[in-house]
Amino acid sequence: MMKLNSFLILAFLLLTACSSGQKKNTVSISTASTGVLKNHDLTFPLYLTDKIETKEAVVAKTNSDVYIVHTGHLLKANASKAINEATLESLKGKGIDVVNLSIEDFIIADQQEISFEKYPQKFLNSSVVNLNEDNIIAKNNISPYVIHDGVALIGLSDKNIDKLLSMDKFLVSDYVLAVLRARKAALKDTSGDVTPDNPLHSFVIVHTMGPDINEVMERLPPNFINSLAD
């Protein structure tokens, strides 16, 4: 049976498959929410950012094999459609591997009739639900998980939205259900990203929830997660 260890940073949770026995569920929290995140189970530097940076600039301060994740809140409620579309256009060629979309991003895009599918950027969404479809939003370029070098990224949205907005059409799924659902789907993945030589071995949860992630940790099944500091 698969056992899981985890490493938690304020915007980062690493769940690792291992064969060790169950350990006490404890949480180690750092104030870091952006920058390079390292863990012995990661074979590559994972770089979190809330800015649109070029891969060249990030490589210059990390390594050539860096994996770049934008943590979301790309679109702005007080910006025009043209400005928000220009923001999405500016992602092209930057080399950002994936953007974790927030519920605020989905609400603004819906109100301004902006389609994320028009853009070649890869987006991550494991928790935002469209009430009209009664399901987690997934499109050709919006996935509930992304696999890179044996690591599956799961993206949770915080519930922070501009006061000009409302959640009439969208909601954030129960976080524990979102994690379990995305994990189950990733474990069934048979794409070229998972091979016998490079199997799926770890899960990274990207979020901007701050200390609220603690409740998620506490509610995950005891035999599912054990927390270890790096």
Side-chain angles (χ1 to χ4, degrees):
M1 183 177 179
M2 181 176 292
K3 302 287 186 180
L4 293 174
N5 292 329
S6 72
F7 168 66
L8 175 65
I9 292 185
L10 195 58
F12 171 77
L13 176 63
L14 178 63
L15 313 178
T16 308
C18 71
S19 58
S20 63
Q22 184 171 338
K23 300 181 181 180
K24 185 178 180 181
N25 189 13
T26 59
V27 178
S28 175
I29 299 176
S30 167
T31 56
S33 60
T34 58
V36 181
L37 302 178
K38 297 179 180 179
N39 183 274
H40 57 83
D41 290 302
L42 285 176
T43 58
F44 55 90
L46 179 63
Y47 184 83
L48 299 184
T49 181
D50 57 3
K51 301 178 177 60
I52 297 178
E53 305 179 62
T54 65
K55 185 155 192 174
E56 291 77 13
V58 176
V59 166
K61 52 190 175 183
T62 56
N63 291 303
S64 59
D65 61 342
V66 64
Y67 193 85
I68 305 172
V69 179
H70 191 289
T71 54
H73 290 283
L74 271 174
L75 308 184
K76 306 303 178 186
N78 59 358
S80 66
K81 177 179 180 179
I83 291 175
N84 280 325
E85 287 184 325
T87 297
L88 290 169
E89 286 285 351
S90 72
L91 293 170
K92 293 180 180 178
K94 291 295 191 301
I96 294 174
D97 293 289
V98 66
V99 174
N100 183 41
L101 292 172
S102 67
I103 189 171
E104 184 177 60
D105 291 319
F106 282 111
I107 294 172
I108 295 169
D110 180 69
Q111 290 187 352
Q112 297 187 353
E113 298 183 339
I114 295 172
S115 173
F116 291 114
E117 294 178 87
K118 289 175 50 180
Y119 304 91
Q121 177 65 51
K122 183 181 292 185
F123 297 104
L124 180 62
N125 171 49
S126 309
S127 61
V128 180
V129 174
N130 183 330
L131 292 174
N132 290 344
E133 300 174 3
D134 193 27
N135 206 353
I136 298 293
I137 301 169
K139 305 293 180 182
N140 289 337
N141 62 338
I142 304 176
S143 176
Y145 65 89
V146 174
I147 297 176
H148 177 70
D149 199 18
V151 176
L153 276 71
I154 296 172
L156 300 183
S157 170
D158 58 39
K159 297 177 182 178
N160 300 328
I161 64 171
D162 190 279
K163 61 184 179 180
L164 298 174
L165 306 173
S166 64
M167 293 188 186
D168 296 336
K169 185 176 177 180
F170 302 93
L171 62 78
V172 176
S173 167
D174 178 88
Y175 290 123
V176 171
L177 291 179
V179 170
L180 296 177
R181 183 169 42 235
R183 175 181 177 272
K184 181 178 180 180
L187 287 171
K188 291 182 177 180
D189 193 297
T190 57
S191 69
D193 295 317
V194 179
T195 66
D197 293 332
N198 192 22
L200 179 61
H201 59 79
S202 302
F203 295 82
V204 170
I205 297 178
V206 179
H207 70 92
T208 50
M209 295 164 54
D212 289 345
I213 192 66
N214 292 345
E215 182 183 352
V216 180
M217 294 282 288
E218 292 170 359
R219 291 178 54 226
L220 284 169
N223 63 347
F224 174 79
I225 181 170
N226 301 295
S227 301
L228 299 175
D230 188 22

